Amino acid sequence: MRLFLKIFNGLFLGFLLLGVISSHGADLNDIEYIVDDYPPYNFEENGVVQGITVEILLATSKEAGQPLKRSQLKLRPWARGYRQALSGPMTMLFSMSRTQAREHKFQWVGPILKHRVVVLAKKSSAIEIASSDDLKNFSIGAVLDAVGEQLLRKLGNTSNVQISTKPFLLVKKLDYGRMQLLVLDELVAKSVMNSAGLNGNDFEVIYTLKETALYYALSKDVPKSLVELLQAALDRLKVRDGGADYDALVNGR
């Protein structure tokens, strides 16, 4: 029995040590980086992944001493990327709002920057929203698995909600009158409308659902040491030169 316990304890300590070595041996290049089409934060143009959060991540990895290449960042549909980030292996998905419902599903690095989830309508509709309960009275669009859709689900009945993985299609539907309202990040809405050739002045924000912040979300199997490495590097980037470098990345300069 004593011999068995010695062998068992030896094997256990060996596996534990192997896990520690493996964790410390991992680096940022072992993570799969997934972005969705969410301009101006992250998107692909002419086959190149770019955007505010992309530039900040590349600068953060450089600050961490393990610079990533832009080619390592892969554009995927949001719902697909979300599922992979939930289960892994070794995945980062961005950019994501850090909500109570998501808090324990991922590891987080951020905040990257603030953003506002709003309800948009065509000005000609003259729709007014006094409270979130009023949203149930209108046909409304939202991006699948995005924070806007999750907020609508918390309100209860979603039979009036039209879901799509593509903000571009939702903006077009709003313009054509196929739905009355759209829930989307304010800057994303402006960018998508511009890309769709629409006049932004034809639309207006009639209600704010949530003011929150965007984060990099990592699957639970990413070693904590890498999460801490990225967080520390992002924190340094934000304050270096009085925040000038970080502000330039946020403002696209």
Side-chain angles (χ1 to χ4, degrees), residues 133 136 150-161:
D133 287 337
K136 299 175 184 178
Q150 294 189 349
L151 291 171
L152 291 175
R153 289 190 180 282
K154 285 185 67 175
L155 297 177
N157 181 19
T158 56
S159 60
N160 64 322
V161 180

Side-chain angles (χ1 to χ4, degrees), residues 80-135:
R80 176 180 168 187
Y82 190 87
R83 288 193 299 270
Q84 180 171 331
L86 277 174
S87 59
M90 297 284 284
T91 301
M92 174 192 283
L93 174 64
F94 66 97
S95 48
M96 187 187 292
S97 295
R98 186 174 182 175
T99 64
Q100 185 177 359
R102 293 169 172 169
E103 180 64 30
H104 301 293
K105 296 179 179 179
F106 305 96
Q107 300 183 84
W108 304 92
V109 171
I112 312 169
L113 71 169
K114 294 180 179 180
H115 80 132
R116 198 162 71 119
V117 181
V118 300
V119 179
L120 298 119
K122 294 193 76 171
K123 286 182 179 178
S124 58
S125 70
I127 295 174
E128 295 183 0
I129 299 294
S131 73
S132 57
D133 287 337
D134 294 341
L135 297 176

